[in-house]
Amino acid sequence: MDMSNGELSENNLIEDNIDNAYLALLRKIRKNTKGRYSGTSLKNDLVEIPNAKFGKSWYFTNYDGYNIYTDSEGNYIDADYNLGKIKVATTSSNIITLTNTMDKKEGTRAYVSESNVLGQDADYIYRTVKVTIESDEIISKIDGIDANAGNSFDTSENDGKTVSFLAIQKISKEQAEDKIDGANYAKNTVTYILSGTDGTSVSLLDGAQISVAGGYIVEYIKDSGTITIQTISLYEERGNQNYVYAYNIEPEEIKNIDIDTNGNLWKVENGIVYKFDNYSEWDKIYKVDGSMDNLSVYDENHMIIWSEDVDVYSIKSEDTEEIKVEGYGPEEILAKKLGWIMNTDGSWSYNKPEYIKATGWLYDENKWYYLNSFGIMQTGWINENRKWYHLSENGAMKTGWLNESGKWYYLNTSGEMLYDTTVDGYKLGINGDLIQ
């Protein structure tokens, strides 16, 4: 960014969210965690966790052999410590409850490996993991399931004193009040054996896309207009027997599906809008024009349904009755909705009372947004009254330190980019970037 002429390159306009999350994580994870981590460099290899549509992004990485999950502000959890409760029975009738991967109880301990993130919802991250239990005695049961029944458990090592199995873990994004050797870990974790109650293993679909809704894991594969679905139910029963149940749905032809902000699957077919119940059935929700065959869904109360071949559009909104217009584009229909609206080109606008589009600065739910003279929400760098501001990918104004294309900038509490000054002992140049 050249402050002398105000010109921005295309790269300057693209916010590198992963870099920002990495640097925020780096600042927080290296504070007083030497007991947990060796202090080796944290690589900038964060990967965004799926299923963050319209929501807050979370990322995962591996640091010093531990799986770390973090939000964009560096609020992280070390996912490899908390196990929840795994009950292990040995041949001497001892029942040991393991709650973490550090403590060894009565000669028995557990550790995790082969982690693979499945997805997330608003409160939890879901992953598959291999759990290995080691004991001084022969292990007979895990969470009430016979270790020698079915095919879920590998008892081939160490004469049955070592047992491993695959599991799904539901890991809370909220940090525990305590720390492990200075590091933050999840407040709650539940470990579900990938097995039924009889020890028969449950397999996930190979190559499936995954959505998480209402505590269910929904796998689906789209192939040439045909969709195959398998749902995974997570069960927690009294006596701490945590297991899963898989339900397979016969493949069916579906032209178009969409996922809402809560992870629910939707389809439109023969004039009916359906919502998947996350188990086995498609529930009828709305009736629309029979020619409509596409939909874009935010949630049950906010969606657009349309036909590619006929100028017919329908909008469902909690602010309005159903709107169905023939011969008009969706822009005219969207103008009847209050609050935030997603335009047909994917951009966002905000309708004030009397359906007037907001322009300029807009304060909504404790965040500032900027909409241009056409009422379109802006992202990236903007220059307003000779002052530079930066708006995140979701439009919210940024404050504090910002990493943009490998350069650091500082935005004060009003969002204004500072330049040719010193902040926290760091010198900023005339273009606003940190002088190394």
Side-chain angles (χ1 to χ4, degrees), residues 11-16 381 390 402-407 409:
N11 289 336
N12 292 129
L13 295 173
I14 300 175
E15 180 182 28
D16 195 338
W381 289 104
H390 195 280
L402 168 71
N403 183 271
E404 173 72 15
S405 300
K407 294 183 179 181
Y409 301 87

Side-chain angles (χ1 to χ4, degrees), residues 264-436:
N264 298 297
L265 270 63
W266 293 80
K267 72 173 182 177
V268 57
E269 191 174 68
N270 299 324
I272 303 295
V273 176
Y274 297 87
K275 176 184 176 183
F276 189 57
D277 68 358
N278 300 316
Y279 183 65
S280 63
E281 301 291 338
W282 289 95
D283 295 332
K284 296 179 180 180
I285 304 298
Y286 297 120
K287 185 175 181 179
V288 296
D289 190 287
S291 66
M292 296 182 183
D293 52 10
N294 288 274
L295 77 170
S296 177
V297 184
Y298 178 79
D299 61 22
E300 186 165 330
N301 297 310
H302 301 85
M303 66 181 68
I304 304 174
I305 310 101
W306 73 95
S307 169
E308 290 184 345
D309 301 324
V310 184
D311 286 337
V312 179
Y313 303 84
S314 181
I315 290 182
K316 302 293 182 181
S317 168
E318 62 186 358
D319 305 317
T320 64
E321 298 293 329
E322 175 189 356
I323 305 167
K324 184 170 67 177
V325 178
E326 297 187 15
Y328 291 89
E331 291 84 0
E332 290 88 349
I333 306 172
L334 287 168
K336 296 181 179 292
K337 182 181 181 303
L338 292 175
W340 287 107
I341 59 172
M342 183 173 66
N343 301 307
T344 55
D345 61 359
S347 63
W348 286 87
S349 298
Y350 188 94
N351 278 349
K352 298 188 296 185
E354 299 182 0
Y355 308 108
I356 299 173
K357 276 191 175 183
T359 59
W361 288 107
L362 170 71
Y363 190 70
D364 182 55
E365 294 188 1
N366 300 316
K367 293 180 181 179
W368 283 101
Y369 301 83
Y370 187 84
L371 301 97
N372 66 14
S373 59
F374 299 100
I376 304 301
M377 184 193 78
Q378 302 297 287
T379 61
W381 289 104
I382 63 167
N383 187 286
E384 175 71 7
N385 294 327
R386 298 183 179 181
K387 296 178 181 179
W388 285 99
Y389 301 85
H390 195 280
L391 308 171
S392 64
E393 190 175 287
N394 65 9
M397 184 186 75
K398 302 278 287 188
T399 60
W401 286 104
L402 168 71
N403 183 271
E404 173 72 15
S405 300
K407 294 183 179 181
W408 281 99
Y409 301 87
Y410 186 82
L411 305 107
N412 65 16
T413 55
S414 298
E416 176 187 351
M417 188 199 74
L418 302 186
Y419 64 96
D420 197 21
T421 187
T422 300
V423 176
D424 297 335
Y426 297 99
K427 177 66 176 176
L428 301 174
I430 59 172
N431 293 328
D433 55 324
L434 176 67
I435 297 176
Q436 301 295 333

Side-chain angles (χ1 to χ4, degrees), residues 176-190:
E177 293 183 2
D178 298 327
K179 296 178 183 291
I180 174 63
D181 294 332
N184 296 315
Y185 64 91
K187 181 177 181 180
N188 299 300
T189 297
V190 182

